[in-house]
Amino acid sequence: MRAMGFYSSQRGHRTWAILLCFCALLSGVNGGSPRLYIVYLGDVKHEHPDDVVASHHDILATVLGSKDDSLASMAHNYKHGFSGFAAMLTQDQAEELAELPEVISVERSKSYTTTTTRSWDFLGLGLSYQMPSELLHRSRYGEDIIIGVIDTGIWPESRSFSDEGYGPVPSRWKGVCQVGEGWGSDNCSRKIVGARFYTAGVDEENLKMDFLSPRDKDGHGTHTASTAAGSPVEAVSFHGLAAGVARGGAPRARIAVYKSVWPSSGGWRAGTTATVLAAIDDAIHDGVDVLSLSLVAEENSFGALHAVQKGIAVVYAAGNLGPARQVVSNTAPWVITVAASKIDRSFPTVITLGNKQQIVGQSLYYEEDSSPPRRGFKLLAFGGLCSSSALNATDVRGKIVLCASLLASLLEPFPLALRNVLNGGGVGIIFAQYTTNLVDATADCKGIACVLVDLDTANLITLYMGDARSPVAKIAPARTVTGEEAVAPKVAAFSSRGPSINYPEVIKPDIAAPGASILGAIKDAYVIGSGTSMATPHVSGVVALLKALHPNWSPAALKSAIMTTASVSDGRGMPILAQGMPQKIADPFDYGGGHINPNKAADPGLIYDIDPSDYNKFFSCNFMKSVQCNATMLPGYHLNLPSIAIPDLRHPITVSRTVTNVGEVNTIYHAEIKSPPGVKMDVEPAALVFNAANKVITFKVKLSPLWSLQGDYTFGSLSWHNDQKTVRIPIAVRMTIHDFYADVA
Ligand SMILES: *[C@@H]1O[C@H](CO)[C@@H](O)[C@H](O)[C@H]1NC(C)=O
Ligand SMILES: *[C@@H]1O[C@H](CO)[C@@H](O)[C@H](O)[C@H]1NC(C)=O
Ligand SMILES: *[C@@H]1O[C@H](CO)[C@@H](O)[C@H](O)[C@H]1NC(C)=O
């Protein structure tokens, strides 16, 4: 069994990121006490849903002994999109069940949790009703599309979910409006067309901390739903910052809410595989077109596979553990895995030193009208790491404290330093780190001035402090700057990077989209959030528009359109960078195909489509129990994905790909080959001639190692060009000699 991931996200500072631990490695095996297990039965067909449930009870009763025990242990029945159930079982019972011939797999339910103004203009989806972008216009703003959001619920009173001017709910919709605490049947509307909530396997204590209904106490689900499909709301901002029209990518798409994630003590969130699978099962039945999951858990994703095989595109967050390699989550080949980028907006915050020198950091620092003016100069103090012991010897009362961290993550050190400075009576914090990217950590500095600077800037402050007898500084509130002066987009430092551990024959993530400092709805206000959680609904919104435009395209075709038209350079032709230590030119393990380009994705020219049954053909071993796993299966890189990843190239390997012409009927595409360094790449044929009789063409790509080398990935691409279009796929190759050692960092 693979290591189970346990992920959680911290809310305290509105930075939605995730901690990881390989719990199966850390915690021992639990033999005695019952735990929640997911029993997967596959694609079983029954005449009536009640028959499915009865058959689940029969299966469970064979192990538990009686129907009554089965009734007591069953937590949830999956019966629409696929067959299976969640039940409380001891390990012995789970093992016994796994032996039954009708059972495909039995796995512990795992913890599962979460991981706009400017961003849509930046993507070329400007919303001027006089001159809407072409894609928005042609897709009718996504009006007929239903996006299922599996998250922490929704706040129906937010202006982002007004249904004013909407036509009737599409008649194919079969969902429900599940009433509960603080949620009446009138909370569903022509905008929020359905809402459900799931509690199976979630602790009673956690349920008590939230509304027992689809209502979103947390805010995460409201934020993501408003980003995917929020109606336009004029003149919103976060205390004056990031001001503009807030709205979703598909501003007229309908939202179906599946609340599966609950709060947990200490500001963490908790969901389970059981709740998320229940949501996916219902969403398949209800008739959603797109599923948006700003969540992570390392899971085998058969739920998402069933959704994709029923034509529903599934969009998942890559996770926020970057810039480390090999940490990308939700990497099944059938889903779209989304990395986060930083767009062309920044929040410069001026720090004035006592010698009149002005230096600029980044923050969301604002002054409330009611708060006493803090603008005057204050004494500066060194706080080192600003740990409690580091500040113990320093008197920081009434001072602005300079803190520094050399760690890659901002999630841990900044909140700790802030707390210690506050405890010491400091009135400001200047926090130095290699990136100022996670400014939303500064959205709530508990009433003191705060600003992030990079290490270079911190050095200027340090030099001044060394020279001055009594060094002082003042920090002005942040401003918002958009456009030309920022190099953008960049893959955000926190965005989890590939390669995928579970699916190394697939390039992951698939695509990057804006996810840093995104303004979205929370309750009745608008708040800035960062994370791949924010990037995911950007892609879900674009998928909704594309689906409206091309109703017959499969999830694989939609993903292909998005990946093959993505940008790998910015507006000036400079390569897109990936933040990290150090910052570098982005590669496919940072952003997959590149940065999303919605208008180009509307007319991709060629698509790499996939027969949905092929996923089973190549990847059954990833989600079936070992007896049913076919060891003679072809390697996954033969799947017709819009990318090629070969994790173990020792001898020449030939893969084929098939493209379908969805553009001009009579046209010729020519190959442009960028071989990964160290690899010879041949494409046959080098030209693809399409006409009315010839819409689908298969070509071969032969990759031959030039040297015998061990362990490093190199990257290239294959682009098909005609007069108008470029259809590009990324290529990642790792040459190996031995199996057991690799250097991917
Ligand atoms: C939602 O339902 C609650 C409880 O029934 C009600 O108080 C509230 O006004 C409703 N909100 C909307 C937007 O309909
Ligand atoms: C702070 O200093 C005092 C006195 O020197 C000491 O007793 C205390 O343990 C220190 N606290 C920390 C957190 O280092
Ligand atoms: C195993 O895979 C091979 C090659 O794809 C196929 O021919 C064979 O039918 C498969 N066997 C089973 C039991 O699925």
Side-chain angles (χ1 to χ4, degrees):
M1 195 174 80
R2 271 195 309 280
M4 286 189 276
F6 170 82
Y7 296 78
S8 232
S9 66
Q10 196 174 29
R11 283 181 302 163
H13 297 273
R14 298 223 187 282
T15 301
W16 286 312
I18 296 111
L19 285 187
L20 158 87
C21 88
F22 290 97
C23 288
L25 301 179
L26 300 180
S27 68
V29 182
N30 285 290
S33 57
R35 310 247 160 189
L36 191 63
Y37 280 84
I38 309 290
V39 180
Y40 174 49
L41 304 170
D43 216 353
V44 183
K45 296 271 180 293
H46 287 272
E47 288 291 303
H48 197 271
D50 292 344
D51 299 343
V52 189
V53 176
S55 82
H56 292 170
H57 279 292
D58 289 344
I59 292 169
L60 190 51
T62 59
V63 167
L64 299 187
S66 79
K67 202 98 182 181
D68 283 349
D69 288 341
S70 154
L71 281 170
S73 125
M74 189 81 77
H76 195 92
N77 279 288
Y78 309 117
K79 55 193 180 215
H80 304 301
F82 48 92
S83 181
F85 54 87
M88 296 299 287
L89 301 168
T90 64
Q91 192 181 347
D92 291 347
Q93 291 166 342
E95 282 171 7
E96 216 177 307
L97 264 177
E99 293 304 314
L100 299 178
E102 56 270 56
V103 172
I104 291 177
S105 69
V106 179
E107 279 189 44
R108 278 276 302 281
S109 176
K110 296 161 203 165
S111 295
Y112 214 135
T113 138
T114 56
T115 36
T116 293
T117 55
R118 175 71 192 161
S119 53
W120 295 112
D121 293 335
F122 180 72
L123 294 179
L125 287 181
L127 183 71
S128 135
Y129 277 107
Q130 291 79 40
M131 254 187 62
S133 92
E134 208 190 330
L135 172 56
L136 276 174
H137 179 69
R138 286 166 63 200
S139 64
R140 300 179 47 239
Y141 306 89
E143 175 143 9
D144 298 329
I145 299 299
I146 301 166
I147 304 179
V149 181
I150 299 182
D151 210 302
T152 61
I154 204 164
W155 195 261
E157 289 79 17
S158 167
R159 289 176 289 161
S160 288
F161 310 123
S162 156
D163 70 350
E164 214 182 301
Y166 280 69
V169 174
S171 57
R172 67 203 151 80
W173 176 246
K174 290 196 286 184
V176 300
C177 192
Q178 190 180 357
V179 298
E181 188 186 349
W183 187 283
S185 55
D186 58 347
N187 283 182
C188 293
S189 63
R190 291 183 170 193
K191 182 70 183 177
I192 299 173
V193 297
R196 300 178 186 258
F197 62 101
Y198 303 90
T199 58
V202 180
D203 280 351
E204 222 34 62
E205 288 304 306
N206 295 345
L207 297 178
K208 276 191 203 134
M209 294 164 67
D210 198 344
F211 298 99
L212 207 55
S213 76
R215 185 171 289 277
D216 178 18
K217 189 167 195 178
D218 177 288
H220 188 273
T222 303
H223 201 282
T224 55
S226 71
T227 302
S231 301
V233 180
E234 304 273 348
V236 296
S237 72
F238 176 71
H239 301 279
L241 294 171
V245 178
R247 56 134 182 140
R252 287 184 89 88
R254 320 298 177 115
I255 298 167
V257 179
Y258 299 90
K259 178 170 172 178
S260 305
V261 183
W262 299 81
S264 148
S265 54
W268 303 86
R269 299 193 188 90
T272 64
T273 321
T275 57
V276 173
L277 278 175
I280 294 177
D281 184 37
D282 280 339
I284 294 171
H285 163 267
D286 293 350
V288 306
D289 299 295
V290 182
L291 271 175
S292 189
L293 297 102
S294 291
L295 312 172
V296 285
E298 206 46 67
E299 54 113 10
N300 53 33
S301 215
F302 62 79
L305 176 60
H306 283 283
V308 166
Q309 290 180 332
K310 299 202 162 61
I312 300 166
V314 178
V315 186
Y316 254 114
N320 302 343
L321 295 171
R325 286 283 201 210
Q326 287 189 307
V327 293
V328 60
S329 294
N330 302 317
T331 56
W334 42 91
V335 307
I336 303 177
T337 310
V338 182
S341 69
K342 179 183 188 298
I343 56 165
D344 65 340
R345 181 169 63 189
S346 58
F347 304 96
T349 306
V350 174
I351 304 165
T352 308
L353 304 177
N355 61 3
K356 305 262 163 54
Q357 190 180 357
Q358 292 202 323
I359 53 187
V360 181
Q362 293 276 321
S363 78
L364 300 179
Y365 166 51
Y366 61 94
E367 285 183 341
E368 289 185 54
D369 298 341
S370 56
S371 62
R374 288 186 294 255
R375 296 211 173 186
F377 281 98
K378 305 286 180 212
L379 282 171
L380 268 171
F382 278 120
L385 297 170
C386 289
S387 58
S388 50
S389 55
L391 288 190
N392 202 16
T394 317
D395 178 15
V396 300
R397 195 165 304 277
K399 295 180 185 166
I400 294 173
V401 188
L402 176 63
C403 305
S405 167
L406 299 177
L407 296 180
S409 162
L410 189 59
L411 303 174
E412 295 302 309
F414 178 75
L416 267 179
L418 175 64
R419 183 169 355 124
N420 294 331
V421 169
L422 278 164
N423 286 343
V427 296
I429 175 169
I430 300 172
F431 190 84
Q433 204 175 24
Y434 75 98
T435 175
T436 57
N437 184 231
L438 280 176
V439 286
D440 42 301
T442 61
D444 182 10
C445 286
K446 315 267 188 275
I448 71 170
C450 57
V451 56
L452 307 179
V453 296
D454 64 14
L455 296 171
D456 193 26
T457 309
N459 192 39
L460 293 176
I461 302 173
T462 312
L463 288 175
Y464 158 72
M465 289 173 78
D467 285 347
R469 192 168 310 156
S470 122
V472 293
K474 64 180 179 183
I475 300 172
R479 294 178 300 117
T480 309
V481 170
T482 54
E484 289 294 293
E485 50 187 279
V487 174
K490 288 179 182 178
V491 177
F494 58 78
S495 187
S496 288
R497 314 294 166 89
S500 162
I501 298 173
N502 292 336
Y503 296 96
E505 315 91 341
V506 172
I507 289 182
K508 288 282 173 174
D510 294 301
I511 193 75
S517 306
I518 302 299
L519 191 71
I522 288 193
K523 296 194 173 158
D524 298 318
Y526 288 83
V527 169
I528 290 172
S530 289
T532 50
S533 283
M534 281 69 240
T536 301
H538 275 88
V539 174
S540 309
V542 171
V543 170
L545 297 178
L546 296 177
K547 180 88 187 170
L549 195 58
H550 305 289
N552 300 324
W553 282 12
S554 68
L558 295 166
K559 174 156 97 175
S560 172
I562 286 173
M563 284 184 72
T564 62
T565 56
S567 314
V568 293
S569 55
D570 71 6
R572 305 173 195 84
M574 309 231 299
I576 291 176
L577 302 176
Q579 296 190 314
M581 298 208 298
Q583 180 162 278
K584 61 174 182 82
I585 291 176
D587 66 47
F589 291 144
D590 300 316
Y591 62 12
H595 200 260
I596 194 166
N597 194 332
N599 287 308
K600 279 196 177 163
D603 299 294
L606 304 177
I607 53 176
Y608 292 73
D609 205 354
I610 293 174
D611 175 344
S613 66
D614 278 358
Y615 297 120
N616 297 77
K617 207 155 51 185
F618 290 106
F619 296 104
S620 286
C621 292
N622 292 67
F623 55 90
M624 301 248 170
K625 64 186 178 191
S626 51
V627 259
Q628 292 177 347
C629 164
N630 186 344
T632 60
M633 287 196 312
L634 281 171
Y637 46 71
H638 291 295
L639 183 67
N640 199 44
L641 286 162
S643 64
I644 298 173
I646 307 212
D648 54 354
L649 188 71
R650 292 177 208 186
H651 314 290
I653 286 181
T654 301
V655 298
S656 57
R657 288 289 185 269
T658 300
V659 285
T660 306
N661 181 18
V662 293
E664 201 185 325
V665 174
N666 296 303
T667 184
I668 302 176
Y669 280 87
H670 295 277
E672 181 191 328
I673 300 167
K674 290 203 173 123
S675 308
V679 176
K680 182 171 182 297
M681 196 170 129
D682 301 292
V683 178
E684 173 65 40
L688 307 178
V689 182
F690 292 96
N691 52 44
N694 225 12
K695 289 185 158 55
V696 181
I697 297 180
T698 297
F699 59 88
K700 287 188 177 349
V701 180
K702 183 174 175 193
L703 296 146
S704 318
L706 293 176
W707 304 296
S708 201
L709 278 177
Q710 177 63 22
D712 285 296
Y713 271 102
T714 61
F715 306 100
S717 64
L718 167 62
S719 304
W720 292 105
H721 292 279
N722 71 2
D723 318 342
Q724 293 140 26
K725 310 251 175 247
T726 299
V727 186
R728 180 184 178 280
I729 63 171
I731 294 172
V733 174
R734 182 160 63 102
M735 284 169 278
T736 59
I737 304 165
H738 325 286
D739 276 335
F740 48 82
Y741 151 74
D743 181 4
V744 298

